[in-house]
Structures are given as C-alpha cells and as structure tokens.
Amino acid sequence: MIGDEAREPYDRTVLSKFVLADMKPSDVPPLRRDSYWDEHRIDRVDATVVRLDAAARRVHLADGTILSYDAAVLATGAIANVPTLPGVTLEGVFTLRNRQDAAAIVAHATKGARVVIVGSSFIGLEAASALHERGVHITVVAPEEIPFARQFGPEIGAMFRRLHEANGIVFRLGARISGIEGTETATAVLVEGGERLPADLVVLGLGVSPATGFVDGVEKAQDGGIMVDSTLHADNDLYVVGDSARFPFAGDHVRIEHWRVAQQHGFIAAANIAGITRHYDGVPFFWTYHFGQSFEYLGHADRWDRLHIDGDIDAQRFVALQIRGEEVAGIIACQRERTTAMLIERMRHPLNASEAIGLLRHADV
C-alpha cells in the first residue's frame, strides 16, 4: 500500500467537521489499529507515485523504484482546485485535504481573526461552521446565488444560508474573487467589482479534481475521472475506487466524491481481485455537519423535477425527496434517522415517489 502521507490512514471526514472546531489534529482517529498491517501482511510504503503504466502493470515511484503488479487498486482520491489568480501562494492561504492542512488553518485561526472562505462547497461551509467555534469573523465569497442549490435545490440551499447567517457568517454570493492581496502573507481578498475584504486567513473551498494525472493507459473522462465498469475495473487488472472513478450508476457513468462511496468501492474491488464477482449496487450516502446538526443525503440526483418536503426545514427536522419522473432520485434529511435508515434500504431498488410519500406519512417522526 503506497501513500505519500507518512502516518497511518485516518478519517479525513473529521477535518472540516471537527478538527477546525476544537479537535486536535493529532487526535484524528486512524482507520485501523497499529497491529492491523502486520496481521494482514500489508506492507506500507511512504512514497510518491509519479507514474502508473496500466498497459505494462508498473508503478514508478519518485525515488526511481519501479514496482510490477498482478492487480492494482487506484485510491488516490482528488486534489483541491486552486485558481490561477494573484496571491494564491501567499502565506495564510490554504486548501483543506489532509491533517497538515487542518493544523495550519487552526494555527492561523486565532480568536478575532478575519477569515475569508472562497467557495460555498461542502468543505467551504463545513469549515465556516467549524471555525465559528474558535471565535473568528467569517465571510464566505462564492459565485453561486444560493449555497448547495445544485445539490439540494433552492429551498434547502436557502435554509443553509439562513442557518449560517443566524450564527454570524457573512455571505458575498454571486461574487468572484480577482486575487489575494499581501506581500508575504495574505492581508485581503479582492472581489471582482472592487470590494476588498480584510483577511488574516483564507480557505479555498473550490471543489476538487481527480488525482489521476500520473496514470497512463486507461480511458479518462473530460474531468480526469477514470472510466470503470460496475466491478470497478478500468483495464488490464487496474481497479479504480472513490473520487477518481467514473462508474455506472442509474443509467449513466458518474463520479461521486463521498467517503462512504469510496469505502463501498474498496470492498467491491477487493472481492473482484480475489475472484469473487461483485458489482456496485449500493446507495450513495454522505453527511454534512453544520452548527451541531447532521444532514444526510441518500442517492445521487444531478437533476429532478420536483422536491417534496416532509417536516420543517428551518427547524432542521425534515425529509426532502428529489423526484424525477415517478421515482425518487435523492433524499435529504435531518433529525429523521429512523426514517432515513428505512429509506436507504428501499432505495436499493427503484423507489416510486408515491410509495415514498406514503412511507413518510406513516413514519415515526
């Protein structure tokens, strides 16, 4: 198992949700106990892969080492998008992808600091929620008119904005930055149109791109995602899982950037390498955390015809169905755990909208 972080694999989901709030970066939980690797005969190699030659089944490391394989799993995830704008390399400007990033952000987030978050992505707004706990002043700049409208729809997106504003977060929506000001350290974010936002800390939350630039000999989509079949197989015994994989789902090839999907993919790829045929038939799932509330999302809807809301979205106690045609394509929920657990099982097969609405009427709220 080759990775370019020297320490053991750990739960990255806590970085934006909890480490930026009050958890020490050193307390991020590992995914496996220390003895796991020896017990399962797993050799961990701390190295950077500079090329993966799928046709030749070879992995080239930065130190010149070349490893051959019978089968390989590419689980490199994604890299944070950084705009080509003046000032993005200044001290005090960060993306958030690993424990070192989180530690650096926390070091700059002293009480009273002025924080500008660029982008209203999940990472961006989770960072806003978490950093708020440190007593900083936060402004979010984003081109979207409504946060999360593309993922959840305008009604629920507007609820997230109200929730953040009620906790002191300031938004500059429908706005783009033109650069970051400073000599060695960032001092302000410049917004197109002339506004200058003083900043002691800048967090870039502008989405990610698949970490596949070093991979040769496979079919890639325009975004860099690697095309795989339902077994997660790309070509010539190379399997691709997680953020880097573009896999069949609901009649299309999609790329889903969620930890749970990556975990599901890993089990399937491992089984197929071992000769046990498995196909992805799971229900995509993720959760996002804002000001003490967990919001769960089931399925994957890039479009829908209508949104059916059961409950009170401003009380953060609801289930919302994204309905496409006569089927439920996605579900957003908060404080409805029992209902969510029931629905995720039903979504393993096409879920009729009328049936789902009927289930909500009789669910134990």
Side-chain angles (χ1 to χ4, degrees), residues 136-157:
V136 299
H137 305 287
I138 301 171
T139 301
V140 176
V141 181
E144 298 81 16
E145 295 291 343
I146 302 174
F148 302 157
R150 181 175 61 84
Q151 297 90 349
F152 296 155
E155 302 96 327
I156 294 177

Side-chain angles (χ1 to χ4, degrees), residues 87-149:
V88 294
T89 60
L90 289 169
E91 172 65 21
V93 181
F94 301 99
T95 56
L96 177 60
R97 291 301 291 170
N98 56 45
R99 190 160 29 197
Q100 291 72 28
D101 294 336
I105 291 170
V106 167
H108 282 73
T110 55
K111 188 172 183 178
R114 299 162 299 181
V115 180
V116 176
I117 295 176
V118 182
S120 59
S121 61
F122 288 110
I123 289 292
L125 291 195
E126 286 185 355
S129 170
L131 288 170
H132 171 265
E133 299 297 313
R134 295 185 177 271
V136 299
H137 305 287
I138 301 171
T139 301
V140 176
V141 181
E144 298 81 16
E145 295 291 343
I146 302 174
F148 302 157

